[in-house]
């Protein structure tokens, strides 16, 4: 007869949110198990593939507390300034722009650009070190929940019994579906593209957010000291852009020379000569919000609970806020000898996280609708609005602190 592993929390999904949650719980002395259907990638740093994350200040603090940040094999690039402007492809951005300087808001940068490959290596390096954490990957499981906990029957016949099971499996969460939790969804009819490029001029740790009629375009600084490929250009940045499905498919099919020209048309001469590096990644742009974040003995986190338009670059950061909240509530309950999967704890988690995520989904949706058109009078109004915010220090500071994941008041 197979032995049952008894633990406090079982986490489904070992992506950035699930793996960070396991590390954050372990740091608080909470035993847990983490499962993923895919094997964990190799521990060594693979070649640069063009993907990077914008990690807000609050998210860095979560990663530091979980013992992950110090294990990054490459140095993250700080984002010390952000220029926001309205524009049109092939034209210079409007001079009615908005400039954010991190030094005006806090002692730290707005955030850091972390290569996706580096974060994965750091997570993989941290997981085996965690006391009280059992890792099962690749592994799938059937989950049965009752009033006292959840039983996971693994594919190989082993069982895990936990007081709480957490779904961090992504937008198509099987755990959410099995619990009968519906979701509200919106299809933007767009495809998001991410990648990277080398460039001639230094970025000076500054990012650019252009609101173009077809969708936003963002340039995000990467650390120059790392090898990104064979480009002769000395500096590097990541890009994020949104386009209609038809245009995006044509961009994805272009050779390097044609795609370089299209990237340059959006970027202008901001960084001089450019050259794409790594591969291009794409995904459909939709918003999703689970109608509930909890059920009996179950909680949802990250993309299993919410997904939003990338216009503000906050998707993963909202997931890390879920990690902070759930790890704190569960850690406090465990330290007090209380039930970590109790209805009262789950109510507190949902009350903390659902309004915050819903507000960000609503904000990104409103931004997309406001900026995603080329109507003359609307374009003038939004340019004047951007310029007005730049001249109201209190409002500008509030926007910046929200993006950093900090309280609105210092």
């Amino acid at each position: 007869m197979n032995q049952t592993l008894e633990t406090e929390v079982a986490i489904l999904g070992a992506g950035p949110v699930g793996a960070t949650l396991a590390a954050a719980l372990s740091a608080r002395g909470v035993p847990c198990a983490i499962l993923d259907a895919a094997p964990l990638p190799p521990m060594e740093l693979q070649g640069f593939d063009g993907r990077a994350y914008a990690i807000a200040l609050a998210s860095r603090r979560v990663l530091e507390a979980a013992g992950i940040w110090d294990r990054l094999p490459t140095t993250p690039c700080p984002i010390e300034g952000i220029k926001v402007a309205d524009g049109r492809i092939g034209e210079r951005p409007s001079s009615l722009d908005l400039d954010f300087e991190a030094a005006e808001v806090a002692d730290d940068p707005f955030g850091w650009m972390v290569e996706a490959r580096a974060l994965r290596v750091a997570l993989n390096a941290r997981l085996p070190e965690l006391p009280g954490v059992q890792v099962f990957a690749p592994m799938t499981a059937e989950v049965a929940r009752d009033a006292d906990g959840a039983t996971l029957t693994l594919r190989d016949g082993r069982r895990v019994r936990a007081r709480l099971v957490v779904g961090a499996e992504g937008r198509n969460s099987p755990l959410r579906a099995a619990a009968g939790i519906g979701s509200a969804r919106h299809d933007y009819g767009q495809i998001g593209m991410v990648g990277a490029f080398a460039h001639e001029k230094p970025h000076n740790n500054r990012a650019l957010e252009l609101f173009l009629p077809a969708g936003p375009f963002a340039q995000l600084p990467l650390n120059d000291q790392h090898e990104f490929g064979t480009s002769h250009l000395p500096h590097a940045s990541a890009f994020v852009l949104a386009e209609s499905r038809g245009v995006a498919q044509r961009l994805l099919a272009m050779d390097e020379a044609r795609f370089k020209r299209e990237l340059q048309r959006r970027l202008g001469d901001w960084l001089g000569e450019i050259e794409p590096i790594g591969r291009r990644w794409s995904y459909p742009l939709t918003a999703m919000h689970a109608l509930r974040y909890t059920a009996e003995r179950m909680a949802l986190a990250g993309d299993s609970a919410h997904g939003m338009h990338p216009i503000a670059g906050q998707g993963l950061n909202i997931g890390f806020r879920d990690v902070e909240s759930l790890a704190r509530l569960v850690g406090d309950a465990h330290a007090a000898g209380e039930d970590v999967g109790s209805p009262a704890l789950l109510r507190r988690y949902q009350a903390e996280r659902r309004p915050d995520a819903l507000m960000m989904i609503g904000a990104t949706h409103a931004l997309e609708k406001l900026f995603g058109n080329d109507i003359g009078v609307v374009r003038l109004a939004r340019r004047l609005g951007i310029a007005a915010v730049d001249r109201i220090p209190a409002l500008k500071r509030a926007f910046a602190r929200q993006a950093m994941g900090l309280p609105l008041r210092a």
Side-chain angles (χ1 to χ4, degrees):
M1 186 174 181
N2 288 316
Q3 185 178 4
T4 298
L5 168 67
E6 299 282 347
T7 192
E8 290 286 275
V9 180
I11 303 164
L12 303 183
V17 169
T20 301
L21 177 59
L25 289 172
S26 177
R28 289 176 172 268
V30 182
C32 61
I34 182 166
L35 293 77
D36 200 285
L40 297 183
M43 294 286 287
E44 67 272 10
L45 190 66
Q46 302 296 295
F48 180 64
D49 64 10
R51 293 180 296 176
Y53 300 116
I55 302 296
L57 174 58
S59 298
R60 170 175 174 158
R61 291 173 178 172
V62 171
L63 292 168
E64 284 178 329
I68 295 166
W69 189 262
D70 290 342
R71 285 164 178 76
L72 291 170
T74 61
T75 304
C77 181
I79 303 173
E80 297 174 345
I82 304 173
K83 179 184 284 292
V84 179
D86 189 64
R88 300 166 92 177
I89 295 175
E91 298 181 7
R92 292 183 66 86
S94 169
S95 59
L96 299 173
D97 57 19
L98 176 56
D99 278 293
F100 291 105
E101 297 294 338
E104 297 175 357
V105 181
D107 294 331
D108 296 286
F110 288 114
W112 289 261
M113 289 302 296
V114 176
E115 296 172 41
R117 58 178 181 162
L119 181 58
R120 186 68 256 174
V121 167
L123 292 169
N124 287 358
R126 184 66 177 135
L127 284 176
E129 301 174 348
L130 299 173
V133 175
Q134 297 274 346
V135 180
F136 301 92
M139 185 57 66
T140 57
E142 293 183 3
V143 181
R145 294 176 291 113
D146 56 46
D148 297 320
T151 300
L152 286 69
T153 303
L154 308 188
R155 185 180 61 230
D156 62 8
R158 288 178 290 176
R159 290 187 176 185
V160 176
R161 179 71 178 173
R163 290 177 178 267
L164 174 68
V165 60
V166 179
E169 313 146 289
R171 290 200 187 189
N172 298 317
S173 167
L175 187 68
R176 186 186 70 226
I181 298 176
S183 61
R185 296 176 181 267
H186 177 77
D187 186 347
Y188 288 101
Q190 296 175 322
I191 288 177
M193 293 178 56
V194 298
F197 60 97
H199 47 86
E200 175 188 7
K201 298 178 183 178
H203 49 55
N204 298 316
N205 297 342
R206 297 184 61 81
L208 173 68
E209 177 89 27
L210 285 180
F211 292 117
L212 305 175
F217 172 87
Q219 165 264 325
L220 300 151
L222 295 173
N223 201 316
D224 293 333
Q225 72 185 42
H226 301 299
E227 181 61 45
F228 292 105
T230 58
S231 174
H232 67 284
L233 300 173
H235 310 291
S237 290
F239 71 82
V240 181
L241 67 87
E243 282 285 357
S244 65
R245 290 194 179 101
V247 172
Q249 293 293 354
R250 289 195 291 275
L251 289 172
L252 289 166
M254 287 179 179
D255 60 26
E256 290 291 284
R258 293 178 61 202
F259 182 71
K260 170 185 172 179
R261 287 195 294 271
E262 288 298 321
L263 203 59
Q264 190 86 66
R265 289 181 66 210
R266 288 157 177 79
L267 188 67
D269 60 1
W270 173 252
L271 295 171
E273 183 187 350
I274 67 168
E275 183 180 340
I277 51 178
R279 58 168 287 193
R280 296 165 228 165
W281 300 82
S282 66
Y283 52 95
L285 295 186
T286 60
M288 185 281 293
H289 197 227
L291 302 184
R292 290 180 290 124
Y293 283 14
T294 65
E296 184 180 62
R297 296 288 168 179
M298 190 192 92
L300 301 174
D303 286 353
S304 292
H306 44 69
M308 59 200 69
H309 197 284
I311 197 167
Q314 289 297 306
L316 180 57
N317 292 299
I318 296 297
F320 284 139
R321 291 191 207 178
D322 297 343
V323 169
E324 189 282 327
S325 176
L326 195 55
R328 171 172 38 80
L329 292 170
V330 169
D332 289 349
H334 179 72
E338 298 171 356
D339 186 351
V340 302
S342 70
L345 185 148
L346 293 174
R347 282 194 298 269
R348 288 196 296 273
Y349 172 66
Q350 176 158 287
E352 283 189 14
R353 295 305 311 134
R354 201 163 183 274
D356 179 47
L358 187 58
M359 180 187 72
M360 188 59 71
I361 291 171
T364 54
H365 182 76
L367 282 172
E368 196 281 330
K369 294 305 178 187
L370 174 63
F371 288 95
N373 65 75
D374 201 26
I375 301 171
V377 66
V378 176
R379 188 170 67 249
L380 176 61
R382 68 194 179 211
R383 290 181 176 185
L384 291 172
I386 287 173
V389 171
D390 197 45
R391 288 159 176 78
I392 303 174
L395 185 57
K396 187 175 174 181
R397 178 181 174 85
F399 282 144
R401 290 186 68 84
Q402 177 68 27
M404 297 166 86
L406 298 175
L408 295 186
R409 294 184 182 274

